[in-house]
Amino acid sequence: MKMTKVQTGGKLYIAGEYAVLTPGQTAIIKNIPIHMTAVVKENSTIKLSSDMFDYSATMSEDKNYALIQASVQTLADYLGKSIDELVPFSLEITGKMERDGKKFGIGSSGSVTVLTLKALSAFYDLNLSADLLFKLASYTLLKLGDNGSMGDIACIAYDDLVAFTSFDRQKVSTWIATEDIKTVLAKDWEYQIEVIKPALSCEFLVGWTKQPSISKDMINLVKSAISEEFLTETEQQVQTCKKALLSGDKEKIKSALQNVSDLLLSLSSAIYIDKLKDLKAAEEGLDVIAKSSGSGGGDCGIAISFDSNDTKELITRWQNLGIELLDLEKLS
């Protein structure tokens, strides 16, 4: 009996969050090796299971399984088949990206979409490229009315540190509504995904505040404060940071990320709750730059350390503040 097992990781923004919601803006996003796993087996009927829920589903409408079902539908459409024409399978997804019911905020919905497509691609021997996986996952989410930047999808599909330049999602959504999937996928969506290989030795740390990030209403309020000036200045700093990572310029990385952090703070004080302020302040006197990540208001913050002793000190400071180290890895 055929069985396939695949994984996808999480993601966190290093720079460019909020700005990247505007087409043509760039963000730097890091893959996080905390994984979700999918196991696909041949089965008599299509059966979907996730450890998020205490029951399985079929392809009959089910709001809890809507994301997984939509991903399966996208793949069927891509293959030019109806659901009934697919070789039936059971799909089991595990790995909640949370602890004690509290989410890490490293991208579970994006992960589920990419994971489902990746798993079925392997099961049907399609050998989809990271770029096609990105397009299919973005297609699925846009069809469901998601209005995220799709930066998380880019990072998770490529499973690497990437610079992602966003596309006009409204335009692509119109294509999706009016044209067939093959035509839409063949078009140039005008995004860019560039894998970044840093040219210097440094360590990347993720600190979890154990507090949920700001609510959808709050995020909408922050988004409404985005100005042309914020976009221009953020893009400038993101590009500086990208070049500095590629050339190994430590001071430029630190100053660019500090400027990005200041720009986020000027956008809304809600982004830096006390725990994230503490996470950032813990860099004091160390060869480290820290900042909030993503929507802010909770979840995770990140840090880049350029000295292994300072890394240890930062971890100790975080622990004393009740901030849990979720990930530590070399960036070079």
Side-chain angles (χ1 to χ4, degrees):
M1 183 180 77
K2 185 166 185 184
M3 188 198 95
T4 306
K5 183 178 176 182
V6 302
Q7 290 188 314
T8 52
K11 64 85 189 76
L12 279 174
Y13 279 82
I14 289 180
E17 53 268 74
Y18 282 111
V20 76
L21 291 163
T22 303
Q25 294 281 140
T26 308
I28 298 170
I29 316 157
K30 171 81 179 78
N31 58 318
I32 307 296
I34 294 171
H35 295 101
M36 295 176 107
T37 304
V39 175
V40 191
K41 295 176 186 165
E42 280 181 47
N43 204 39
S44 54
T45 57
I46 293 180
K47 181 185 170 193
L48 310 171
S49 331
S50 162
D51 63 356
M52 292 292 282
F53 315 111
D54 56 7
Y55 68 97
S56 298
T58 62
M59 285 299 286
S60 300
E61 199 172 322
D62 184 304
K63 69 175 186 343
N64 287 330
Y65 279 90
L67 204 53
I68 298 170
Q69 290 170 334
S71 305
V72 174
Q73 186 64 59
T74 293
L75 195 88
D77 293 346
Y78 171 71
L79 292 172
K81 294 185 174 186
S82 69
I83 293 295
D84 294 340
E85 289 173 313
L86 292 175
V87 173
F89 57 86
S90 70
L91 169 68
E92 187 185 350
I93 292 176
T94 53
K96 292 183 181 179
M97 294 191 171
E98 62 176 46
R99 196 168 296 152
D100 305 326
K102 292 177 183 169
K103 284 186 162 58
F104 296 146
I106 60 172
S108 49
S109 61
S111 248
V112 166
T113 311
V114 175
L115 182 64
T116 302
L117 289 161
K118 193 175 174 180
L120 294 178
S121 161
F123 181 70
Y124 293 127
D125 300 315
L126 300 176
N127 199 18
L128 299 180
S129 66
D131 193 63
L132 190 48
L133 210 49
F134 165 75
K135 268 188 158 176
L136 287 167
S138 297
Y139 178 99
T140 305
L141 289 167
L142 288 168
K143 204 169 178 181
L144 286 172
D146 188 301
N147 200 30
S149 71
M150 305 298 154
D152 55 340
I153 301 292
C155 183
I156 293 163
Y158 277 74
D159 196 29
D160 216 326
L161 174 63
V162 298
F164 169 70
T165 305
S166 61
F167 59 96
D168 186 336
R169 299 181 298 287
Q170 199 50 59
K171 183 167 76 176
V172 176
S173 295
T174 306
W175 294 343
I176 290 169
T178 55
E179 299 176 58
D180 69 273
I181 187 167
K182 282 275 171 50
T183 307
V184 175
L185 292 172
K187 287 177 185 274
D188 178 6
W189 293 16
E190 297 177 347
Y191 60 81
Q192 278 180 304
I193 303 169
E194 181 186 346
V195 173
I196 297 174
K197 297 291 178 202
L200 78 171
S201 180
C202 51
E203 287 172 310
F204 177 79
L205 300 90
V206 177
W208 181 38
T209 65
K210 302 179 195 161
Q211 291 175 301
S213 74
I214 51 184
S215 68
K216 275 210 162 62
D217 293 343
M218 198 70 225
I219 289 171
N220 287 332
L221 206 62
V222 176
K223 277 169 27 183
S224 68
I226 294 173
S227 64
E228 277 303 321
E229 190 184 4
F230 172 81
L231 294 175
T232 306
E233 290 182 15
T234 300
E235 184 67 17
Q236 205 175 342
Q237 297 305 326
V238 170
Q239 293 297 342
T240 298
C241 184
K242 183 183 98 170
K243 285 185 191 126
L245 283 164
L246 290 168
S247 66
D249 189 330
K250 178 178 82 170
E251 293 310 322
K252 277 222 169 104
I253 294 169
K254 285 164 83 170
S255 68
L257 291 181
Q258 180 58 54
N259 290 337
V260 167
S261 180
D262 292 343
L263 283 161
L264 286 169
L265 195 55
S266 71
L267 193 63
S268 169
S269 57
I271 292 172
Y272 271 98
I273 52 153
D274 290 347
K275 267 278 179 79
L276 281 173
K277 277 184 195 155
D278 291 344
L279 178 145
K280 167 92 179 122
E283 72 184 17
E284 188 65 40
L286 304 177
D287 200 1
V288 168
I289 181 72
K291 66 178 281 294
S292 67
S293 176
S295 59
D299 286 342
C300 294
I302 55 114
I304 297 175
S305 170
F306 302 93
D307 181 288
S308 53
N309 289 326
D310 286 356
T311 299
K312 290 183 190 120
E313 175 60 27
L314 182 71
I315 293 166
T316 304
R317 290 181 187 183
W318 279 1
Q319 279 167 344
N320 293 339
L321 292 161
I323 293 162
E324 186 177 330
L325 181 73
L326 264 196
D327 182 36
L328 166 62
E329 53 186 298
K330 289 222 177 299
L331 252 195
S332 56

